[in-house]
Amino acid sequence: MAPTKTTYLRDLCLMYQEASFYATSIPRSCEKAAVKYFQMKKQEKVIAYLDTSLIGFYGKRGFYLTTDGLYWKCWRKKKGSISWNEFQQLTSISLRGEQIICFNDKEIFHLNENAYSAKKLVDLLQKIQQLLCHHSHEFMCREHTYPSISLEELTSICASFQENNPLLKAEQVLATTDQLGTEMTKEIKNRLPVAKTNHIVAHLSTYPHQKTEGITICAEGIYFSKSFTTLYYPWNLFRYVPISVGAEELRVANKYSLSLNHAFMSSGEVMSFLKQIKRHIHKTYEKDNTRKIDKQTLSLFV
């Protein structure tokens, strides 16, 4: 696999990616329409896109995050934009009701009936502003490269923690791609915002009635998912994320919990499994002399 190229802005957006919010694999038709509609600069790159389009308006309705700033357009409202320098100077980014985003108490964007949470979008924007308080927008959007994590090694680690019980189905155990099968893999991809290039390596179901919930290992990162909530970390960030277990529960980054009551792996085994993956990531990055993230920036991710 080719090395991973990313930016801090993209990494933040990846952690909030779900439903109609794209931080990878942005539909090309939407991107082209937006560049023309919002008159973006030639060198400007779209990092993420929240799609709120109606039929016939693809790319012209929604919320765009680019290397230069933010652009938005919602139903019955004028289109707007703000540069990152102006955004950094905002005194407040808030939510009015359940669907209205406000800058300095002025309504700028309505999510209407979109499935994406307005609260989640506000949280992302507040974190971006915190990042800009410590660094320039050039730093936030500067591309950096990380070595790719070996698919063969990831698969080998997953296989070493598998339950060898012929009575159990693939959706009940830690199953690698070839064991999951086409149908199960498709269901997982429909449940999670997995980019086309992000190959699924293995999946551990933690809830029998919703087999796509649990821990999903991919080529570029890891997903933790339960009802209505999905958390994603690319490998360059997961290596820093604190994880712990207790009372049949996995705790991620001290703020997210995943029940292991119905998993066919003990909490201790799950912990050992994730630690083994972390060791492999650290080893790969240390071999490549990958630079570390400063503490202030890291605190926004974990």
Side-chain angles (χ1 to χ4, degrees), residues 98-241:
E98 296 182 353
Q99 300 175 334
I100 303 172
I101 311 294
C102 298
F103 288 172
N104 291 348
D105 293 323
K106 180 182 178 182
E107 295 181 8
I108 62 111
F109 191 74
H110 295 217
L111 260 76
N112 299 322
E113 300 303 319
N114 192 274
Y116 195 79
S117 164
K119 185 177 183 300
K120 185 170 281 191
L121 180 57
V122 166
D123 188 43
L124 168 60
L125 294 173
Q126 289 173 341
K127 285 199 173 184
I128 291 173
Q129 190 182 51
Q130 289 176 51
L131 181 57
L132 289 170
C133 285
H134 301 294
H135 300 288
S136 66
H137 82 271
E138 289 88 358
F139 173 89
M140 180 177 73
C141 297
R142 186 182 303 139
E143 200 170 70
H144 40 271
T145 304
Y146 293 98
S148 60
I149 303 300
S150 166
L151 282 179
E152 184 178 350
E153 186 63 30
L154 280 176
T155 303
S156 176
I157 292 171
C158 294
S160 69
F161 282 88
Q162 286 184 315
E163 173 73 37
N164 295 314
N165 187 337
L167 298 178
L168 296 176
K169 298 178 181 179
E171 58 264 28
Q172 296 176 306
V173 297
L174 175 62
T176 52
T177 306
D178 55 335
Q179 296 166 324
L180 287 171
T182 306
E183 186 179 338
M184 181 65 175
T185 300
K186 187 177 179 180
E187 283 187 42
I188 293 172
K189 284 191 172 184
N190 287 337
R191 169 77 169 80
L192 305 173
V194 182
K196 292 179 181 178
T197 56
N198 201 0
H199 178 75
I200 292 177
V201 176
H203 175 74
L204 172 66
S205 176
T206 56
Y207 191 63
H209 299 298
Q210 180 51 272
K211 55 191 177 184
T212 58
E213 291 185 8
I215 302 170
T216 306
I217 308 297
C218 294
E220 299 172 1
I222 184 169
Y223 288 90
F224 300 94
S225 58
K226 59 183 179 181
S227 298
F228 310 113
T229 310
T230 298
L231 187 63
Y232 174 76
Y233 285 105
W235 293 130
N236 58 292
L237 294 178
F238 182 65
R239 59 182 171 145
Y240 296 112
V241 176

Side-chain angles (χ1 to χ4, degrees), residues 213-276:
E213 291 185 8
I215 302 170
T216 306
I217 308 297
C218 294
E220 299 172 1
I222 184 169
Y223 288 90
F224 300 94
S225 58
K226 59 183 179 181
S227 298
F228 310 113
T229 310
T230 298
L231 187 63
Y232 174 76
Y233 285 105
W235 293 130
N236 58 292
L237 294 178
F238 182 65
R239 59 182 171 145
Y240 296 112
V241 176
I243 52 174
S244 61
V245 291
E248 296 304 313
E249 181 181 76
L250 173 68
R251 290 188 291 272
V252 182
N254 301 317
K255 61 182 179 182
Y256 180 91
S257 62
L258 186 67
S259 174
L260 300 174
N261 281 324
H262 301 288
F264 282 82
M265 281 177 72
S266 68
S267 57
E269 288 174 321
V270 171
M271 189 68 178
S272 296
F273 168 57
L274 295 176
K275 280 186 174 181
Q276 183 68 16

Side-chain angles (χ1 to χ4, degrees), residues 281-298:
I281 296 167
H282 277 295
K283 185 178 178 181
T284 301
Y285 286 175
E286 285 173 5
K287 190 187 300 182
D288 194 70
N289 292 320
T290 303
R291 66 187 180 87
K292 295 183 178 180
I293 303 174
D294 65 272
K295 288 184 178 180
Q296 285 181 327
T297 304
L298 184 61

